[in-house]
Amino acid sequence: MVTEKKFEKYLIETVAHKTSLNSYAEAPANAFLLYTCDAYDAFQHCQNKFTKKGNGDFNKDSEDSLRHISCAILGSLMGHFETYQKSLLAGLIDFSANFPSFDSESFLKHFSKHCGGSISIPVDRLLSFRTTSAQVGYVVSDSLNGWHNPSKVNSFFKSLEIKKDIFTPSQIEDLEVLWQLRHSIVHTGAWLSMPDSQKIKRLNGYGNKPIIFEHTFINALCRKLHQIVKHANTTLLSECTSLLGAKPTQESIEGLTNFLEVTSPKKVWL
């Protein structure tokens, strides 16, 4: 008789996972792009190993499997992208101690005026951090809603007196499509319902259809995310450097530069 295990008992500890919340806290872009490249490599490995017909095309089982895998990778990548965004804001909130012009009252007012409501951290949520050494920025960032709305995320960063948007209008459009596809994969079984397709203009003609990607989608997705991340971090580095004041310390400059560093195993994508 097979002994039935509780689902949580299938969780294992492994050193194979290259990213962690600590790595995101140290350099969010580097952690995210490392995972992005790992996800791409995993998909490529499947493509290289899956069964093909005599003419070089994948057989039906391989086609179906790659489609399932590509949907799973999109869902996972967007989850990591959310962590990247949260970690960016969290780190900069902590780093704002080095911004001479930072005003906590203006910071809080910004959220009430531009981000859909004031910051609210429930006591029970705060208490959940009592056994850890959580940074103030992480506690604030983790309490915010709207990370799937790139326009709103732009507003989050402007609370720090950052003038420029970290996402361009075209990047906002791309992210809106990706977030909606992710939502439909997770919540409606990889089926883009008619109502959901009407939420995003570029998806208007795809309603009431299954979400099935071409095999080149993962390549295009990973390359695009590299570009988005590089632009965001480059913008933040320029903006935040000016916020350091007229005579910043070498330590603060190096700290900001290291936190906003953008490296990738696939440098050609940057």
Side-chain angles (χ1 to χ4, degrees):
M1 181 178 178
V2 178
T3 303
E4 185 176 307
K5 290 167 63 174
K6 301 295 185 182
F7 290 129
E8 67 274 12
K9 298 300 181 182
Y10 289 95
L11 290 168
I12 60 173
E13 292 186 13
T14 174
V15 296
H17 202 50
K18 296 180 181 178
T19 58
S20 65
L21 289 179
N22 285 337
S23 63
Y24 271 102
E26 292 171 3
N30 292 351
F32 175 69
L33 295 181
L34 176 60
Y35 179 79
T36 300
C37 291
D38 271 1
Y40 169 80
D41 289 342
F43 188 78
Q44 286 298 108
H45 181 74
C46 292
Q47 281 192 301
N48 293 336
K49 298 298 182 180
F50 280 9
T51 305
K52 297 180 179 179
K53 296 183 289 188
N55 64 0
D57 293 338
F58 290 108
N59 65 15
K60 185 179 183 304
D61 286 343
S62 295
E63 284 283 354
D64 290 344
S65 296
L66 287 172
R67 287 169 180 168
H68 287 304
I69 292 170
S70 62
C71 281
I73 287 177
L74 174 60
S76 182
L77 274 174
M78 296 312 291
H80 274 261
F81 189 76
E82 181 174 349
T83 301
Y84 155 74
Q85 294 179 134
K86 286 182 176 180
S87 300
L88 261 187
L89 183 63
L92 292 179
I93 289 174
D94 286 333
F95 203 81
S96 66
N98 297 284
F99 300 159
S101 62
F102 178 82
D103 179 73
S104 58
E105 186 174 345
S106 297
F107 173 79
L108 294 172
K109 284 182 177 179
H110 176 89
F111 282 91
S112 296
K113 186 175 181 180
H114 301 287
C115 302
S118 60
I119 298 174
S120 176
I121 304 175
V123 174
D124 60 343
R125 194 182 191 96
L126 191 60
L127 285 173
S128 68
F129 292 104
R130 67 189 183 279
T131 58
T132 64
S133 54
Q135 294 293 99
V136 171
Y138 182 79
V139 176
V140 173
S141 180
D142 187 60
S143 71
L144 298 175
N145 296 313
W147 293 105
H148 299 180
N149 182 335
S151 295
K152 196 169 186 179
V153 173
N154 274 341
S155 294
F156 289 168
F157 284 90
K158 288 186 175 180
S159 66
L160 297 167
E161 301 301 324
I162 291 168
K163 305 301 181 185
K164 294 182 180 179
D165 290 335
I166 68 167
F167 301 135
T168 67
S170 63
Q171 289 172 345
I172 288 174
E173 287 187 7
D174 286 336
L175 288 170
E176 286 175 341
V177 169
L178 293 174
W179 279 123
Q180 183 56 60
L181 291 174
R182 179 263 181 195
H183 176 90
S184 296
I185 288 168
V186 172
H187 296 287
T188 54
W191 189 271
L192 188 60
S193 68
M194 191 61 73
D196 281 346
S197 72
Q198 299 301 305
K199 296 176 183 177
I200 307 298
K201 185 176 181 180
R202 279 168 47 181
L203 292 175
N204 285 178
Y206 297 88
N208 202 28
K209 295 178 181 179
I211 296 174
I212 299 174
F213 299 115
E214 296 179 11
H215 299 323
T216 54
F217 168 72
I218 296 299
N219 182 296
L221 171 64
C222 293
R223 288 173 181 268
K224 177 62 70 174
L225 289 173
H226 271 67
Q227 296 165 19
I228 290 173
V229 166
K230 182 178 181 180
H231 179 270
N233 277 51
T234 300
T235 299
L236 287 171
L237 181 58
S238 175
E239 291 286 295
C240 292
T241 298
S242 66
L243 292 175
L244 290 174
K247 296 182 179 180
T249 65
Q250 189 62 32
E251 182 181 6
S252 64
I253 294 173
E254 290 179 358
L256 182 65
T257 302
N258 291 337
F259 177 71
L260 294 174
E261 182 182 41
V262 183
T263 61
S264 168
K266 301 187 188 301
K267 295 180 175 62
V268 69
W269 287 0
L270 291 172

